[in-house]
Amino acid sequence: MFWADKVAEEIIQSGQYKPYWVDDMFTPSGFAHVGSLRGPLVHDILYRALRDKKEEVKWTYVINDFDTIDGLPSELMQDFEKYLGVPLRIAPSPVKGYESFAEYFAKDFQKVLIGLGIEAEFLSSWDMYHEGKFNEVIKIALDNAEKIQDIYQKVSGSKKKELGWLPLQVICQQCGKLGTTRVYEWDGKTVAYKCESSMVKWAKGCGFDGRISPFDGNGKLPWKVDWPAHWKVMGVTIEGAGKDHSSAGGSRDIAKALCDEVFDYPNPYNLPYEFFLIGGKKMASSKGLGLKARDLADVLPWEIGRFLFTRTDYKKAIEFDPVGTQAIPNLFDEYQKCADAYFNKGDEDLARAFELSQIGEIKKIPQVRFSVLTQWVQMPNMENTIKKEGLETWAKYARVWVDRFAPEDEKFEIKKRIPEEAKTLTQKQKEVLSRISKELDEKWTGDEFQTRIYDLGKELGLSGKETFAAIYLSLIGKDHGPKAAWLILSLDKEFVKKRFNEL
Ligand SMILES: [Zn+2]
């Protein structure tokens, strides 16, 4: 059974997670890495699997825009350093046209998620806090500060924090920073806090001492508490996270203990999903390795971008190393295989991987292999064939692959002058080219012509390899290339005749 259907079945059979509410979240503090798409896609696929079983399901995606700016991409460091410590929703957008730092990066990521067919309702954490929805859980957390510290210590083995520690930070009324405030007293209505100059390394507080209500968006829970608090406030029953969060004593264990012992809320179903690796390394946006999520659509059609995540069980790592490899052509091949299983009632898991990768209506897909298309786009005069076969969309990606990812030996171009390499041609090879040129005016299909070329070589005592090498060496200056007959037929006849007779 397909992995998402298995998970859906397990959830339904357990009878524990009703009403079904799938949730995931994202902190809009910079451009998300392509690996960050695994979370939302795993959740979206599970959401669809549950829905396909005729279950009522809600699916929300929380933008953590109340989080603090605690680091910056290097290009923003100079202009935005003063906003370190400020909530993402308060700092200005790096680009005109957006209301805040958070909105800019959230919209950027959201565009990709919507492109990938993710059907979640997007929610703002900032808004929920400011609408007072978190007031109850803030009160519970403050009343149970001691217990929360004990849980931290018991579950993760962390050292006990200082006496009087409270699980909250408030926005400083003087400097507007959130990441620098230490809340140290709670009287049931208001909290006392100090905006500390050296509590964190990355931001400096103003020293202000104040007292304020912790409710209605004045304050925010630290994220280990904030996470299960979201579950209770919203009613989430299914939420996974990267497996690093799910390690023993990690944030997921703490969240579970807080559900049990503080919030009195049932622990949601967990999906500890594996990493998305590129070139064998875990991709981290901060290191600038690999692709950003926003770049995915330049490289793959949306459905195939979705397929890249859908086809693999969430428990298995995805390795995707597109540079200088066949990873992208192989992905298209696999996608075609799954489409074939879907349309021709083949392997059920493959069919389901295709089905769950679709966005909107299920459409037939091209039959031509992507690797063939990567050759066509390098041949002249193929535009009509590409159009006729309905391959324009895939051809666009084939061109990108050739330009950005293809190994050198997959690239070729028709040489305007006789290539240097053609000097190695033997007399017999030159003869076969001359004979081929005499048959160019006949009506050929690619397959027939390919056979004919082979036979012409054979008549002269040439092996297939020698015959085809003659063609490649004289046209593209390499001893190998795309299917020779197609290559020749794509060219101007007079050009080929001239070339094959002037060697
Ligand atoms: Zn301050």
Side-chain angles (χ1 to χ4, degrees), residues 171-177 180-181 193-196 204-208:
I171 300 173
C172 173
Q173 291 151 287
Q174 182 163 276
C175 73
K177 286 181 185 171
T180 51
T181 59
Y193 71 96
K194 186 170 169 59
C195 187
E196 304 270 11
K204 199 167 154 29
C206 67
F208 186 74

PDB file of all heavy atoms in Angstrom, residues 171-177 180-181 193-196 204-208, ligand 1:
ATOM      1  N   ILE A 171       6.936  41.997  24.039  1.00  0.00           N
ATOM      2  CA  ILE A 171       7.549  43.005  23.168  1.00  0.00           C
ATOM      3  C   ILE A 171       7.883  44.214  24.048  1.00  0.00           C
ATOM      4  O   ILE A 171       6.998  44.766  24.722  1.00  0.00           O
ATOM      5  CB  ILE A 171       6.585  43.427  22.042  1.00  0.00           C
ATOM      6  CG1 ILE A 171       6.201  42.210  21.172  1.00  0.00           C
ATOM      7  CG2 ILE A 171       7.217  44.520  21.171  1.00  0.00           C
ATOM      8  CD1 ILE A 171       5.129  42.501  20.134  1.00  0.00           C
ATOM      9  N   CYS A 172       9.150  44.630  24.055  1.00  0.00           N
ATOM     10  CA  CYS A 172       9.568  45.758  24.893  1.00  0.00           C
ATOM     11  C   CYS A 172       8.831  47.020  24.462  1.00  0.00           C
ATOM     12  O   CYS A 172       8.799  47.367  23.281  1.00  0.00           O
ATOM     13  CB  CYS A 172      11.087  45.946  24.773  1.00  0.00           C
ATOM     14  SG  CYS A 172      11.666  47.435  25.603  1.00  0.00           S
ATOM     15  N   GLN A 173       8.217  47.692  25.453  1.00  0.00           N
ATOM     16  CA  GLN A 173       7.433  48.892  25.131  1.00  0.00           C
ATOM     17  C   GLN A 173       8.307  50.065  24.706  1.00  0.00           C
ATOM     18  O   GLN A 173       7.832  51.021  24.134  1.00  0.00           O
ATOM     19  CB  GLN A 173       6.582  49.303  26.351  1.00  0.00           C
ATOM     20  CG  GLN A 173       5.460  48.321  26.637  1.00  0.00           C
ATOM     21  CD  GLN A 173       5.096  48.279  28.104  1.00  0.00           C
ATOM     22  OE1 GLN A 173       5.840  47.735  28.920  1.00  0.00           O
ATOM     23  NE2 GLN A 173       3.960  48.868  28.438  1.00  0.00           N
ATOM     24  N   GLN A 174       9.600  49.965  25.021  1.00  0.00           N
ATOM     25  CA  GLN A 174      10.480  51.073  24.652  1.00  0.00           C
ATOM     26  C   GLN A 174      11.182  50.859  23.300  1.00  0.00           C
ATOM     27  O   GLN A 174      11.196  51.749  22.476  1.00  0.00           O
ATOM     28  CB  GLN A 174      11.523  51.294  25.753  1.00  0.00           C
ATOM     29  CG  GLN A 174      12.444  52.477  25.452  1.00  0.00           C
ATOM     30  CD  GLN A 174      13.171  52.926  26.689  1.00  0.00           C
ATOM     31  OE1 GLN A 174      12.645  53.706  27.502  1.00  0.00           O
ATOM     32  NE2 GLN A 174      14.377  52.416  26.847  1.00  0.00           N
ATOM     33  N   CYS A 175      11.735  49.654  23.081  1.00  0.00           N
ATOM     34  CA  CYS A 175      12.516  49.457  21.845  1.00  0.00           C
ATOM     35  C   CYS A 175      11.855  48.518  20.840  1.00  0.00           C
ATOM     36  O   CYS A 175      12.328  48.376  19.719  1.00  0.00           O
ATOM     37  CB  CYS A 175      13.931  48.979  22.171  1.00  0.00           C
ATOM     38  SG  CYS A 175      14.001  47.268  22.736  1.00  0.00           S
ATOM     39  N   GLY A 176      10.763  47.865  21.229  1.00  0.00           N
ATOM     40  CA  GLY A 176      10.034  47.027  20.270  1.00  0.00           C
ATOM     41  C   GLY A 176      10.635  45.643  20.053  1.00  0.00           C
ATOM     42  O   GLY A 176      10.147  44.883  19.223  1.00  0.00           O
ATOM     43  N   LYS A 177      11.675  45.314  20.832  1.00  0.00           N
ATOM     44  CA  LYS A 177      12.273  43.986  20.654  1.00  0.00           C
ATOM     45  C   LYS A 177      11.576  42.959  21.531  1.00  0.00           C
ATOM     46  O   LYS A 177      11.096  43.257  22.624  1.00  0.00           O
ATOM     47  CB  LYS A 177      13.771  44.035  20.971  1.00  0.00           C
ATOM     48  CG  LYS A 177      14.560  44.733  19.871  1.00  0.00           C
ATOM     49  CD  LYS A 177      16.044  44.767  20.139  1.00  0.00           C
ATOM     50  CE  LYS A 177      16.712  45.589  19.035  1.00  0.00           C
ATOM     51  NZ  LYS A 177      18.113  45.860  19.329  1.00  0.00           N
ATOM     52  N   THR A 180      14.840  40.052  23.378  1.00  0.00           N
ATOM     53  CA  THR A 180      15.763  40.496  24.432  1.00  0.00           C
ATOM     54  C   THR A 180      15.089  40.628  25.800  1.00  0.00           C
ATOM     55  O   THR A 180      15.744  40.996  26.768  1.00  0.00           O
ATOM     56  CB  THR A 180      16.344  41.882  24.064  1.00  0.00           C
ATOM     57  OG1 THR A 180      15.254  42.749  23.735  1.00  0.00           O
ATOM     58  CG2 THR A 180      17.286  41.792  22.876  1.00  0.00           C
ATOM     59  N   THR A 181      13.785  40.353  25.845  1.00  0.00           N
ATOM     60  CA  THR A 181      13.106  40.583  27.132  1.00  0.00           C
ATOM     61  C   THR A 181      13.058  39.329  28.006  1.00  0.00           C
ATOM     62  O   THR A 181      12.840  38.233  27.509  1.00  0.00           O
ATOM     63  CB  THR A 181      11.651  41.091  26.928  1.00  0.00           C
ATOM     64  OG1 THR A 181      10.933  40.126  26.169  1.00  0.00           O
ATOM     65  CG2 THR A 181      11.624  42.431  26.224  1.00  0.00           C
ATOM     66  N   TYR A 193       8.961  42.662  33.390  1.00  0.00           N
ATOM     67  CA  TYR A 193      10.027  42.204  32.493  1.00  0.00           C
ATOM     68  C   TYR A 193      11.153  43.223  32.447  1.00  0.00           C
ATOM     69  O   TYR A 193      10.988  44.397  32.796  1.00  0.00           O
ATOM     70  CB  TYR A 193       9.482  41.973  31.081  1.00  0.00           C
ATOM     71  CG  TYR A 193       9.119  43.250  30.335  1.00  0.00           C
ATOM     72  CD1 TYR A 193      10.020  43.840  29.447  1.00  0.00           C
ATOM     73  CD2 TYR A 193       7.873  43.866  30.525  1.00  0.00           C
ATOM     74  CE1 TYR A 193       9.685  45.008  28.761  1.00  0.00           C
ATOM     75  CE2 TYR A 193       7.533  45.033  29.848  1.00  0.00           C
ATOM     76  CZ  TYR A 193       8.446  45.596  28.965  1.00  0.00           C
ATOM     77  OH  TYR A 193       8.120  46.745  28.297  1.00  0.00           O
ATOM     78  N   LYS A 194      12.296  42.749  31.973  1.00  0.00           N
ATOM     79  CA  LYS A 194      13.418  43.642  31.744  1.00  0.00           C
ATOM     80  C   LYS A 194      13.952  43.358  30.352  1.00  0.00           C
ATOM     81  O   LYS A 194      14.055  42.222  29.917  1.00  0.00           O
ATOM     82  CB  LYS A 194      14.515  43.399  32.784  1.00  0.00           C
ATOM     83  CG  LYS A 194      15.656  44.400  32.698  1.00  0.00           C
ATOM     84  CD  LYS A 194      16.573  44.253  33.912  1.00  0.00           C
ATOM     85  CE  LYS A 194      17.867  45.031  33.756  1.00  0.00           C
ATOM     86  NZ  LYS A 194      17.733  46.475  33.558  1.00  0.00           N
ATOM     87  N   CYS A 195      14.246  44.445  29.618  1.00  0.00           N
ATOM     88  CA  CYS A 195      14.808  44.310  28.277  1.00  0.00           C
ATOM     89  C   CYS A 195      16.328  44.268  28.445  1.00  0.00           C
ATOM     90  O   CYS A 195      16.961  45.286  28.715  1.00  0.00           O
ATOM     91  CB  CYS A 195      14.356  45.485  27.408  1.00  0.00           C
ATOM     92  SG  CYS A 195      14.811  45.334  25.682  1.00  0.00           S
ATOM     93  N   GLU A 196      16.898  43.059  28.349  1.00  0.00           N
ATOM     94  CA  GLU A 196      18.285  42.831  28.744  1.00  0.00           C
ATOM     95  C   GLU A 196      19.282  43.172  27.638  1.00  0.00           C
ATOM     96  O   GLU A 196      19.061  42.847  26.478  1.00  0.00           O
ATOM     97  CB  GLU A 196      18.475  41.346  29.107  1.00  0.00           C
ATOM     98  CG  GLU A 196      17.540  40.832  30.177  1.00  0.00           C
ATOM     99  CD  GLU A 196      18.129  40.995  31.572  1.00  0.00           C
ATOM    100  OE1 GLU A 196      19.148  41.689  31.708  1.00  0.00           O
ATOM    101  OE2 GLU A 196      17.556  40.420  32.521  1.00  0.00           O
ATOM    102  N   LYS A 204      20.792  43.238  21.233  1.00  0.00           N
ATOM    103  CA  LYS A 204      21.051  43.979  22.462  1.00  0.00           C
ATOM    104  C   LYS A 204      19.767  44.702  22.865  1.00  0.00           C
ATOM    105  O   LYS A 204      19.198  45.467  22.083  1.00  0.00           O
ATOM    106  CB  LYS A 204      22.147  45.003  22.171  1.00  0.00           C
ATOM    107  CG  LYS A 204      22.853  45.536  23.397  1.00  0.00           C
ATOM    108  CD  LYS A 204      24.114  46.274  22.913  1.00  0.00           C
ATOM    109  CE  LYS A 204      24.619  47.349  23.807  1.00  0.00           C
ATOM    110  NZ  LYS A 204      24.524  47.459  25.157  1.00  0.00           N
ATOM    111  N   GLY A 205      19.284  44.424  24.098  1.00  0.00           N
ATOM    112  CA  GLY A 205      18.087  45.092  24.579  1.00  0.00           C
ATOM    113  C   GLY A 205      18.406  46.485  25.102  1.00  0.00           C
ATOM    114  O   GLY A 205      19.574  46.842  25.285  1.00  0.00           O
ATOM    115  N   CYS A 206      17.335  47.270  25.365  1.00  0.00           N
ATOM    116  CA  CYS A 206      17.533  48.683  25.704  1.00  0.00           C
ATOM    117  C   CYS A 206      17.639  48.937  27.212  1.00  0.00           C
ATOM    118  O   CYS A 206      17.835  50.061  27.654  1.00  0.00           O
ATOM    119  CB  CYS A 206      16.400  49.509  25.123  1.00  0.00           C
ATOM    120  SG  CYS A 206      14.801  49.157  25.893  1.00  0.00           S
ATOM    121  N   GLY A 207      17.423  47.888  28.035  1.00  0.00           N
ATOM    122  CA  GLY A 207      17.546  48.067  29.477  1.00  0.00           C
ATOM    123  C   GLY A 207      16.239  48.453  30.163  1.00  0.00           C
ATOM    124  O   GLY A 207      16.177  48.572  31.386  1.00  0.00           O
ATOM    125  N   PHE A 208      15.191  48.626  29.397  1.00  0.00           N
ATOM    126  CA  PHE A 208      13.902  49.069  29.947  1.00  0.00           C
ATOM    127  C   PHE A 208      13.331  48.047  30.940  1.00  0.00           C
ATOM    128  O   PHE A 208      13.421  46.846  30.748  1.00  0.00           O
ATOM    129  CB  PHE A 208      12.922  49.265  28.780  1.00  0.00           C
ATOM    130  CG  PHE A 208      11.606  49.859  29.167  1.00  0.00           C
ATOM    131  CD1 PHE A 208      11.484  51.204  29.488  1.00  0.00           C
ATOM    132  CD2 PHE A 208      10.446  49.062  29.215  1.00  0.00           C
ATOM    133  CE1 PHE A 208      10.257  51.742  29.835  1.00  0.00           C
ATOM    134  CE2 PHE A 208       9.215  49.595  29.571  1.00  0.00           C
ATOM    135  CZ  PHE A 208       9.122  50.939  29.877  1.00  0.00           C
TER     136      PHE A 208
HETATM  137 ZN    ZN B   1      13.834  47.345  24.962  1.00  0.00          ZN
END
